[in-house]
Amino acid sequence: MAPSPKGWATLAWQSDYGQFYLVDREDEAFEAPVEITVEMEARSLCVMPRGLVIYTQSSLQQHIRIAIYDSEPEHPVTEPMSGNLWTRIEQTQASFPSRSFGISSPSLPDPLPYGPIFLVGSVDCVIQINWMEFQGGRDDSVPVDPDIIDIAIWPAVAHDNAVEELGAELKYPLETALADETVDGSMTLRADPVRQD
């Protein structure tokens, strides 16, 4: 059974300068790169120390879909609503130290620094980005279909909380037992009190 998203949102967005950001919520000094390298252009993304820059085909409208998962989901080969093939697919890792991020762009969603806030279950996340970009000429005076950018996010390493909790429970009895160990490595056992009749 495929994992279901823990949370999701679809946003109608305008990515000015053809880019938007997923930024750790506590990063108040985030700045996107000014120069775009060949690799950034080829992959349409740039991994930052506390987030991710995602590049779009143009500065017109986008529909941005974000879904958060506990584990890697199934990835549709086509865009679900239209059935069209994705024009680009990339997978990368990014870190969100506060386990949360906001979405932003060069034109900040005033008065707040970020748009919607998303919570993730791990600092280090895997992110798959699927683009379905408008094919054809761009003309700001003529309405066109928006680019669709589908983003799936899940923990880079799956954590088993039950195992972690069990490990924490076992740690203390072991430390208690080791405290009773003698210098030569033998164990000192506590005797039952002597019964006096």
Side-chain angles (χ1 to χ4, degrees):
M1 184 177 196
S4 298
K6 296 170 54 182
W8 65 92
T10 299
L11 311 169
W13 196 266
Q14 180 169 326
S15 299
D16 292 332
Y17 303 103
Q19 57 190 273
F20 64 94
Y21 321 129
L22 306 183
V23 185
D24 187 88
R25 188 167 55 167
E26 295 180 358
D27 186 354
E28 297 177 359
F30 175 85
E31 289 186 13
V34 176
E35 294 188 22
I36 299 176
T37 66
V38 173
E39 181 184 358
M40 290 158 59
E41 188 173 357
R43 299 189 69 198
S44 289
L45 62 86
C46 176
V47 178
M48 305 292 287
R50 296 168 65 105
L52 185 68
V53 177
I54 299 172
Y55 297 101
T56 67
Q57 190 179 56
S58 78
S59 60
L60 294 178
Q61 296 293 325
Q62 292 83 34
H63 282 178
I64 299 173
R65 304 171 185 160
I66 299 175
I68 311 295
Y69 297 86
D70 281 330
S71 59
E72 182 172 4
E74 292 182 4
H75 302 291
V77 177
T78 59
E79 193 279 317
M81 294 182 71
S82 67
N84 294 331
L85 290 171
W86 300 110
T87 55
R88 180 190 307 265
I89 298 172
E90 287 288 339
Q91 194 173 105
T92 190
Q93 288 196 18
S95 295
F96 304 108
S98 71
R99 294 190 178 192
S100 62
F101 68 86
I103 182 169
S104 187
S105 71
S107 52
L108 299 177
D110 188 63
L112 301 174
Y114 301 122
I117 299 296
F118 296 84
L119 305 179
V120 291
S122 175
V123 170
D124 298 315
C125 298
V126 179
I127 302 175
Q128 177 154 321
I129 309 162
N130 298 340
W131 289 260
M132 193 184 78
E133 299 159 312
F134 175 80
Q135 303 298 302
R138 294 286 190 175
D139 182 346
D140 289 342
S141 66
V142 179
V144 297
D145 291 334
D147 293 336
I148 295 173
I149 302 164
D150 188 271
I151 302 169
I153 302 174
W154 64 94
V157 178
H159 294 288
D160 188 338
N161 292 335
V163 171
E164 289 178 358
E165 290 171 7
L166 180 61
E169 288 176 6
L170 293 175
K171 176 182 173 184
Y172 297 107
L174 180 61
E175 288 176 348
T176 303
L178 291 176
D180 292 334
E181 191 173 356
T182 62
V183 176
D184 64 0
S186 62
M187 298 295 290
T188 303
L189 301 177
R190 294 188 178 91
D192 289 332
V194 177
R195 281 184 11 188
Q196 295 181 350
D197 294 326

